[in-house]
Amino acid sequence: MQTLLVILILLAAGATLFVLVKGVIGMAQGKDVTGVRSQQLMRKRVMFQAVAIILVVLLLAIAGSGG
């Protein structure tokens, strides 16, 4: 179970990094004048971060209970 959680945490962190880099590149190019795309990417980044944090909390709870 712990191995699965670690893999899921890595996937969520990787997805967060991917969306973050995509947003930074998009801002650097300056093509998104209205900021709609930037907002969409920010929402996705926050969602992936929340998933990663929840998974870390679950991992710590399982590790703390000895399971």
Side-chain angles (χ1 to χ4, degrees):
M1 182 67 172
Q2 290 179 353
T3 305
L4 176 64
L5 281 174
V6 169
I7 291 169
L8 291 174
I9 290 167
L10 290 174
L11 288 173
T16 301
L17 180 64
F18 175 76
V19 172
L20 176 65
V21 169
K22 195 171 178 180
V24 168
I25 290 172
M27 281 185 0
Q29 290 176 345
K31 292 181 180 177
D32 187 18
V33 178
T34 61
V36 172
R37 181 75 178 143
S38 295
Q39 286 294 321
Q40 290 173 344
L41 289 172
M42 187 179 297
R43 284 187 203 104
K44 286 182 184 179
R45 182 183 54 82
V46 170
M47 180 194 64
F48 286 134
Q49 283 177 324
V51 168
I53 290 170
I54 290 169
L55 290 171
V56 168
V57 169
L58 283 173
L59 179 65
L60 291 174
I62 289 173
S65 69

